[in-house]
C-alpha cells in the first residue's frame, strides 16, 4: 500500500476499492528454466501464461470500462 486515503474522484466497488491505495499493480509468473525460448514450445508456454493472467486482465478491463 502506498496511499493512506482513496484518491478523490474515483469510485470503486468495495471489493476493488483497496486496490486504489496502491501505486503499482502487477502480476508475474515463473517460467520454466531451460532453452524453451528457442524451442517450438515457446508459443504454448506463452499461451498458457496469457490464459493464467486473463482473469486479471478481464477484471481490470471491466473495471476501467465501468
Amino acid at each position: 500500500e502506498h496511499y493512506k486515503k482513496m484518491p478523490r474522484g474515483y469510485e470503486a466497488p468495495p471489493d476493488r476499492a483497496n486496490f486504489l491505495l496502491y501505486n503499482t499493480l502487477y502480476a508475474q509468473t515463473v517460467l520454466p528454466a531451460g532453452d524453451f525460448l528457442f524451442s517450438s514450445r515457446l508459443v504454448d508456454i506463452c499461451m498458457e501464461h496469457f490464459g493464467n493472467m486473463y482473469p486479471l486482465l478481464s477484471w481490470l478491463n471491466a473495471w476501467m470500462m465501468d
Side-chain angles (χ1 to χ4, degrees):
E1 287 185 22
H2 180 77
Y3 302 105
K4 294 180 182 182
K5 297 180 184 178
M6 296 293 170
R8 276 186 245 142
Y10 286 92
E11 293 182 27
D15 64 329
R16 299 177 189 169
N18 63 319
F19 291 114
L20 292 174
L21 297 176
Y22 292 86
N23 63 345
T24 304
L25 178 65
Y26 67 93
Q28 68 182 31
T29 189
V30 177
L31 296 174
D35 294 332
F36 75 93
L37 287 175
F38 305 105
S39 75
S40 60
R41 294 181 39 232
L42 178 60
V43 172
D44 294 331
I45 291 169
C46 290
M47 291 303 293
E48 180 181 355
H49 171 67
F50 178 77
N52 291 337
M53 298 299 168
Y54 184 75
L56 177 61
L57 174 65
S58 179
W59 174 77
L60 288 170
N61 189 41
W63 183 31
M64 297 302 288
M65 295 300 174
D66 283 347

